[in-house]
Amino acid sequence: MGKEKNDLVYGTLDMLILKALELEPRHGLAVADRIQQMSKSVLRVEQGSLYPALYRLEAEGWIKAEWGVSETNRKARYYRLTPAGRKQLANEREHWSRITAAIDLVMSQA
Amino acid sequence: MAEELRLHVEALVERNIEAGLSREEARRAAVKEFGGVDQIEERCRDEERLMWLEQLGADLRYAARQMRRAPIFSLVTVMTLALGIGANTAFFGVLSTTLYRPLPYPEPDRLVHLDERTLKGNWTMPVSYPDFLDWKRLQTTFSSISIYLGDAMSVQREAATDRVGVLFVDHDFLRTLGYTPALGRDFTEADDRVGVPRTVLLTADAWKRRFDSDASVIGKVMNINGQPVTIVGVLPETYRFFRESEFLVPLGPWVEDRFMQMRESHSASVVVGRLKPGVNLNAARAEMDAIASRIEKEYPKSNGGIGARLISLRDYLVGDARQGQLLLMSAVALVLLIACVNVANLVLARSLSRDREIAVRAALGAGRGRLVRQFFTECLLLSFIGGTAGLAVAATLSNALVSLIPGGLLSFGDPVAFHFDWRMLGFGFAVTLATGVLFGLAPAWQLRRVSLVDSLKDRSASGASAGHLRLADLLVVAQVGLATVLVIAAGLVLRSLWTLSSEPLGFESENVLSVRLGSPSGRMGGSLPRAGAFYEEAAQRLGRLPGVEAAAATSNLAFGYNDSHNQFRVADRPVPDPASYPSASYRIVTQDYFRAMGIPVLQGRVFTGQEPPLAPKSEKPDMKELLEALRQLPMDGVVTRSFAQRYWPGENPIGKRLLLGPPDIPMSWITVVGVVADSTQDELGQKNHEEFYLSIRQLPAPMEFGLIVRGRGDPAALAESVRAELRRFTSTEPVYDMQVLSSRVAQVLSGRTFQTRLVAGFAAVALLLAAIGLFGVLAFNVGRRTREFGVRLALGASPTKIVRSVFVRGFALVLPGLALGLLAASWCGRYVQNQLYGIEPTDLVTYTTASGALLVAAVLACWLPARRASRVDPIEALRTE
């Protein structure tokens, strides 16, 4: 996944989705928009990868889905972070900072 | 999920439109951005762990493929399941339709049947009316009790006279059963005394058919046996009792007409009681014993040695059927057991042969859980197909069985509404499924213990350890044993039935027409001699019809229910103790009775029609006057051979004398004038043939008489002329219940025939299942030894030798099974003893025939596999394994 045009690092999509849902429940398109917006349009979520990831996270019990009505008055499935998801997000964030710190360390040394 | 994706694409389209694209372009761009919906959906599904569903599909496909690969195994298993489940469901449905229905009354468990019995010998007898009144007065354990007796009476409405079934009851009868009239009122104590105006309640059915459901009939008067009777009400539709009785009348006003006021008179009436809530039968028994002995002390002459008998109403009503229940239920259980053993065996053999497949699959990475599930799926699929086929078998069999149910088994008059027993279907299904799964899973469960290398390497023996095969063999042995027991049981009851129906009756039922003619005694003001003369004349007129050989009247038509017993003592012997006073069944007949029935006269003569008649002083004598007249009348009597042998062994009975009547009411002296052969006229299998006959001229008892007519040819051809002649003879008394005498005999047989057929049906299913089981195991065995047979054939073994080896193996299982079955059967035999007639439970012929049947089935079951074994192509066999 994610090799053609987006600049998403492999394995980070789940974490980004959890992060996008941190503040409020969102539907699929809004999740993609939020990731794009948070990254100042650097990161673009491949639409085709979004839903499998959402279903995977739901099966893990990190997010929960329910039908609602979107801002454009359409039916949409809203995803909400569960307490377990929140914990997972914290784990991932911690893990991510350690990895990036390590990578920085490696990359900054000549 | 699809909808969510669709909505997402739509939102993208909209956004693109807002960005200024045309709708077409917008859609294309959105789809491009999003990717193929189907692919995404599929990826989502993987993520969502919908895997199990797909795996189930794969399992099912695999199971179906396995079934196709082993068609014999599949077919045999499905057939076993279909037969086992189907037959049991059908038979059980019939049983619950007939024997196991709860009585149709509220709280039926509280209903008790009461009658009287001799304390010595424990013979039951009808309840005398004065005894009943004392019971009713003294008892405290029942909330109410009621006497009842059914009879047919002449009912006159407008010009027509009809014969209608009437139930004489106590005024508490409906309360006891738990009914209230739908219309009008119930009986009260004031309706139920000597001398009060007579009243009647109509059943809903009689009200509909005879009175067009006219509500204004209440208060109207009709005529029963010449007496005006007022209709006081109509029973509810739900009322069920003996279906022959259309009218209910309080017994009180009829007691004298029926000569029931005497304590000695035990005529057809019995008692039903409803226990008070919380009182059990034993408490009621204890109280009734005390009451009976109190009555005994008070009236030692009439009640010496007489006690009360209490059994639950249900046991009383289905009593006879009950005896067969144990047998039938055991048969149901055995058939189910055999089916289970069959399934177990087949599945076990099949899965053992697959240990290499299991090993390969395990080696390729299949987990134990996954393998267990695969086997489970296969069992489920087989059970499902078998169960569905079983449903079809059950439906087909049920229809056939319902047509066999004799009407007499359903005495409450409900039509045969066959009740398909889903519980039984579910039970049979569950049990066989559980068996299949249990045995099917065993090998997969033991996977841990299967050494992959050994299994894969060991090609020649093809797997299964000797221990497992021994279990399969044991199952076949058990199955053959069980089937043997059932076949023997069926053989025993079948032979009993044959003995019973082929036993000489002692009279010739062919060519005899029987018919009942209403009694004129009510119309004739109770004059007994005139009523007797009426029947005598009727018989004489019928005897003169063309095509008639002989005609006669009888107090009790053969196989038409006989409860006429009378006490007597032999002259010139010490007077016996009242408690052991002799009694015998008797018939009152006209002189041609023996000729018409074809009963041979062995010694002396029969009646002449010239006997001095009973002549009471007045036209309408009371009881005292009647007894006076009887005492002064010397009577002629004819006795049976058994009677003569019992009371005058080694002596010439002609000229010997009897004193008729109970100990305290001696009536007439009877002189024996002739001896006739024994004959069975009361019931099949009748053991006691000590009977005597009296002339209708001398004892024209108040009862109704039947007429019999022996024709020269087919008696049915006489029906019209007999009916017409009786119509000419009397226009007021009804002519009814006309039947060829042989069909009365056949009706008595029918209930018994039905049960015998059921047991035989079970046995046939068991035999078939056992054969199928043996066949399945052998066929399987041969299939697995294909390579071995191929090698042996290639090395020059003759096909005959191969066939023999298969037979030897088959019979090594059948013979021990048979031996065990024979042993078990002889041990179980005592439990069916009361169902048998004329043969011992260890009847040699039955045992031999049953063994023969099993051996034949075994040969058939061995034959096909053996043939297949002998035709193995050596090259083919060696190549494929």
Side-chain angles (χ1 to χ4, degrees):
Chain A
M1 80 154 83
K3 269 191 188 161
E4 308 99 290
K5 55 184 180 184
N6 73 12
D7 298 302
L8 220 53
V9 180
Y10 183 81
T12 55
L13 180 59
D14 289 5
M15 181 179 68
L16 292 176
I17 291 176
L18 293 178
K19 174 70 190 160
L21 292 174
E22 195 178 10
L23 295 181
E24 54 180 353
R26 291 172 203 278
H27 54 82
L29 188 55
V31 168
D33 288 348
R34 172 74 178 156
I35 291 173
Q36 201 173 334
Q37 174 221 337
M38 284 192 301
S39 67
K40 303 206 165 62
S41 291
V42 174
L43 300 176
R44 283 176 61 96
V45 179
E46 190 207 345
Q47 307 281 350
S49 308
L50 177 66
Y51 282 96
L54 282 170
Y55 279 101
R56 184 170 56 239
L57 293 175
E58 189 179 359
E60 295 283 3
W62 292 332
I63 58 175
K64 225 173 122 78
E66 51 211 16
W67 284 101
V69 179
S70 77
E71 59 281 9
T72 52
N73 230 357
R74 283 175 173 282
K75 230 174 98 182
R77 252 165 90 81
Y78 274 79
Y79 294 89
R80 184 168 47 78
L81 212 56
T82 62
R86 218 166 275 285
K87 217 167 175 186
Q88 177 66 16
L89 177 60
N91 289 344
E92 298 235 7
R93 182 181 286 142
E94 197 250 6
H95 179 70
W96 178 254
S97 3
R98 278 200 291 118
I99 297 290
T100 43
I103 292 174
D104 274 347
L105 211 62
V106 172
M107 294 307 283
S108 56
Q109 285 174 5
Chain B
M1 172 166 37
E3 192 183 1
E4 186 180 11
L5 299 182
R6 185 180 55 77
L7 290 171
H8 185 112
V9 172
E10 268 172 31
L12 283 179
V13 170
E14 229 159 81
R15 193 179 287 179
N16 290 342
I17 291 173
E18 274 164 30
L21 292 177
S22 77
R23 172 160 281 278
E24 192 51 33
E25 282 167 325
R27 171 154 289 276
R28 215 178 301 129
V31 170
K32 196 174 162 205
E33 184 180 357
F34 194 71
V37 174
D38 285 345
Q39 288 93 310
I40 292 175
E41 250 183 65
E42 190 151 330
R43 279 171 60 193
C44 291
R45 213 175 292 140
D46 289 351
E47 296 296 348
E48 211 195 6
R49 301 185 180 173
L50 274 174
M51 281 292 282
W52 69 270
L53 226 155
E54 264 176 44
Q55 280 180 5
L56 178 68
D59 282 354
L60 275 176
R61 276 194 299 276
Y62 188 79
R65 206 154 56 223
Q66 287 292 338
M67 279 180 67
R68 275 200 304 276
R69 273 188 52 194
I72 293 180
F73 160 77
S74 309
L75 195 71
V76 168
T77 313
V78 165
M79 269 173 68
T80 297
L81 287 168
L83 271 175
I85 298 175
N88 264 345
T89 306
F91 283 120
F92 199 81
V94 169
L95 287 184
S96 60
T97 307
T98 52
L99 307 183
Y100 297 110
R101 285 199 300 189
L103 298 181
Y105 310 114
E107 296 182 64
D109 296 342
R110 284 170 55 200
L111 292 172
V112 176
H113 167 86
L114 301 92
D115 48 25
E116 293 187 272
R117 67 190 167 97
T118 58
L119 296 173
K120 205 181 206 174
N122 212 17
W123 297 105
T124 62
M125 55 187 178
V127 180
S128 107
Y129 191 62
D131 285 351
F132 163 72
L133 291 180
D134 284 342
W135 288 2
K136 197 175 171 74
R137 189 165 48 85
L138 298 171
Q139 68 83 18
T140 59
T141 44
F142 293 91
S143 55
S144 66
I145 67 173
S146 168
I147 197 165
Y148 65 90
L149 81 135
D151 198 358
M153 307 284 271
S154 297
V155 172
Q156 211 169 348
R157 276 185 64 232
E158 285 141 26
T161 309
D162 251 332
R163 201 65 185 166
V164 180
V166 172
L167 196 68
F168 292 91
V169 298
D170 182 84
H171 60 274
D172 274 337
F173 180 72
L174 287 183
R175 266 179 291 281
T176 306
L177 287 189
Y179 291 111
T180 48
L183 224 64
R185 64 169 179 90
D186 197 352
F187 299 130
T188 65
E189 212 182 334
D191 296 318
D192 193 17
R193 271 182 259 142
V194 176
V196 300
R198 298 171 202 236
T199 49
V200 62
L201 277 164
L202 313 175
T203 59
D205 187 51
W207 183 53
K208 218 178 281 169
R209 278 192 307 113
R210 297 181 186 276
F211 299 93
D212 296 323
S213 303
D214 177 6
S216 70
V217 296
I218 292 174
K220 293 237 167 88
V221 175
M222 59 183 186
N223 187 310
I224 298 181
N225 268 31
Q227 301 288 345
V229 177
T230 309
I231 302 173
V232 297
V234 177
L235 296 170
E237 290 271 357
T238 52
Y239 167 82
R240 295 279 181 285
F241 209 63
F242 294 111
R243 64 174 148 185
E244 292 79 18
S245 303
E246 294 185 46
F247 297 163
L248 253 60
V249 302
L251 181 56
W254 296 88
V255 164
E256 288 189 341
D257 302 280
R258 305 193 64 88
F259 295 88
M260 287 178 70
Q261 69 273 46
M262 291 198 329
R263 210 169 270 278
E264 294 80 1
S265 165
H266 296 264
S267 67
S269 49
V270 290
V271 173
V272 60
R274 180 175 284 274
L275 290 171
K276 284 181 177 161
V279 175
N280 71 19
L281 190 54
N282 284 333
R285 270 198 190 117
E287 189 192 51
M288 288 308 301
D289 283 345
I291 292 174
S293 64
R294 192 170 145 187
I295 299 175
E296 192 180 355
K297 274 194 203 88
E298 208 166 328
Y299 309 97
K301 279 186 175 173
S302 60
N303 284 48
I306 292 178
R309 178 185 74 140
L310 282 73
I311 57 171
S312 83
L313 184 63
R314 199 194 141 71
D315 285 353
Y316 173 67
L317 291 177
V318 296
D320 276 335
R322 250 307 231 263
Q323 294 202 329
Q325 282 178 4
L326 178 69
L327 189 61
L328 286 171
M329 283 320 294
S330 321
V332 171
L334 276 184
V335 166
L336 200 57
L337 197 59
I338 292 174
C340 285
V341 170
N342 236 357
V343 170
N345 213 348
L346 288 164
V347 172
L348 188 69
R350 169 108 180 96
S351 46
L352 286 179
S353 76
R354 288 169 66 183
D355 55 356
R356 204 162 40 187
E357 175 204 328
I358 297 169
V360 170
R361 290 175 64 191
L364 291 178
R368 187 162 70 164
R370 188 75 188 74
L371 282 175
V372 166
R373 206 171 67 198
Q374 173 61 41
F375 276 86
F376 187 74
T377 312
E378 281 174 31
C379 290
L380 217 61
L381 186 66
L382 274 175
S383 301
F384 183 73
I385 297 175
T388 314
L391 201 63
V393 170
T396 317
L397 267 181
S398 301
N399 287 334
L401 285 173
V402 164
S403 63
L404 294 182
I405 299 178
L409 274 183
L410 305 160
S411 59
F412 291 106
D414 285 339
V416 184
F418 183 72
H419 149 243
F420 196 88
D421 205 300
W422 291 102
R423 284 168 308 166
M424 189 60 205
L425 184 74
F427 179 69
F429 190 80
V431 169
T432 44
L433 177 69
T435 318
V437 167
L438 203 67
F439 283 82
L441 289 189
W445 206 248
Q446 289 172 349
L447 194 62
R448 284 275 154 81
R449 288 201 260 131
V450 175
S451 152
L452 290 188
V453 183
D454 284 355
S455 286
L456 291 173
K457 217 165 45 180
D458 183 12
R459 292 186 59 91
S460 57
S462 285
S465 69
H468 283 142
L469 278 180
R470 218 171 289 136
L471 176 57
D473 288 352
L474 280 180
L475 288 176
V476 171
V477 171
Q479 192 173 38
V480 171
L482 292 174
T484 308
V485 172
L486 249 184
V487 170
I488 286 175
L492 288 174
V493 291
L494 269 175
R495 258 175 68 78
S496 296
L497 185 73
W498 283 329
T499 318
L500 208 51
S501 53
S502 60
E503 180 143 293
L505 294 172
F507 67 89
E508 294 162 30
S509 64
E510 299 304 314
N511 297 344
V512 178
L513 193 67
S514 61
V515 62
R516 294 183 197 270
L517 178 61
S519 167
S521 71
R523 200 164 43 83
M524 293 176 169
S527 162
L528 295 184
R530 278 179 63 188
F534 171 85
Y535 285 110
E536 232 185 329
E537 194 188 339
Q540 279 162 10
R541 288 180 74 137
L542 294 182
R544 286 196 294 267
L545 285 177
V548 170
E549 216 162 85
T554 168
S555 56
N556 301 90
L557 282 177
F559 291 95
Y561 186 61
N562 176 21
D563 63 336
S564 300
H565 284 256
N566 215 325
Q567 292 181 299
F568 60 88
R569 70 175 173 88
V570 178
D572 311 323
R573 303 261 171 89
V575 178
D577 182 60
S580 57
Y581 214 72
S583 125
S585 155
Y586 71 107
R587 286 185 152 76
I588 299 164
V589 298
T590 57
Q591 74 263 25
D592 278 343
Y593 184 71
F594 305 98
R595 212 147 61 80
M597 287 291 281
I599 298 173
V601 180
L602 303 178
Q603 209 180 342
R605 62 172 178 86
V606 294
F607 306 117
T608 57
Q610 306 301 320
E611 291 79 12
L614 179 72
K617 282 201 191 88
S618 64
E619 257 300 277
K620 201 179 171 184
D622 60 12
M623 205 64 205
K624 217 171 129 193
E625 208 175 312
L626 255 177
L627 277 175
E628 197 56 41
L630 277 172
R631 281 184 190 134
Q632 288 168 5
L633 182 70
M635 285 189 184
D636 284 355
V638 172
V639 300
T640 62
R641 196 175 55 89
S642 291
F643 190 98
Q645 273 172 0
R646 162 86 189 269
Y647 295 101
W648 302 284
E651 286 180 71
N652 182 358
I654 307 291
K656 294 278 192 277
R657 296 201 308 152
L658 300 168
L659 180 57
L660 186 68
D664 55 324
I665 317 172
M667 294 194 281
S668 307
W669 281 101
I670 300 172
T671 306
V672 176
V673 297
V675 179
V676 295
D678 288 349
S679 60
T680 296
Q681 297 181 45
D682 292 347
E683 54 181 350
L684 288 171
Q686 182 181 333
K687 298 243 163 57
N688 186 343
H689 289 104
E690 295 158 14
E691 296 172 326
F692 62 97
Y693 298 88
L694 297 174
S695 164
I696 193 172
R697 294 171 61 81
Q698 301 192 306
L699 194 62
M703 60 190 68
E704 177 182 294
F705 280 67
L707 295 163
I708 58 165
V709 182
R710 170 172 295 278
R712 296 205 174 86
D714 178 15
L718 284 175
E720 263 327 295
S721 60
V722 164
R723 200 187 296 274
E725 183 61 23
L726 289 175
R727 274 279 136 268
R728 278 193 291 279
F729 173 60
T730 168
S731 57
T732 45
E733 301 314 325
V735 176
Y736 69 106
D737 193 20
M738 188 180 275
Q739 279 188 53
V740 179
L741 195 56
S742 52
S743 81
R744 288 189 197 274
V745 181
Q747 275 166 23
V748 177
L749 262 179
S750 71
R752 213 170 165 123
T753 309
F754 174 63
Q755 282 196 0
T756 305
R757 280 184 193 158
L758 280 186
V759 174
F762 276 121
V765 171
L767 191 60
L768 194 58
L769 282 177
I772 287 176
L774 183 64
F775 165 81
V777 167
L778 283 182
F780 209 77
N781 207 273
V782 167
R784 285 176 0 105
R785 288 165 68 200
T786 303
R787 193 175 128 98
E788 177 204 327
F789 290 133
V791 171
R792 285 170 65 181
L793 283 169
L795 292 178
S798 71
T800 328
K801 213 165 177 183
I802 301 284
V803 167
R804 198 180 306 143
S805 85
V806 174
F807 267 87
V808 163
R809 174 147 167 72
F811 276 81
L813 302 178
V814 170
L815 293 179
L818 187 61
L820 283 176
L822 291 174
L823 274 177
S826 63
W827 185 76
C828 295
R830 62 187 121 153
Y831 295 110
V832 292
Q833 186 131 37
N834 60 4
Q835 288 289 298
L836 303 184
Y837 176 77
I839 55 168
E840 284 303 303
T842 49
D843 180 53
L844 189 66
V845 177
T846 308
Y847 275 60
T848 319
T849 318
S851 308
L854 260 126
L855 290 177
V856 168
V859 167
L860 290 178
C862 291
W863 176 243
L864 280 177
R867 227 170 57 128
R868 210 175 104 208
S870 70
R871 291 191 180 169
V872 166
D873 179 351
I875 302 174
E876 190 75 10
L878 291 174
R879 192 184 290 146
T880 50
E881 257 288 297

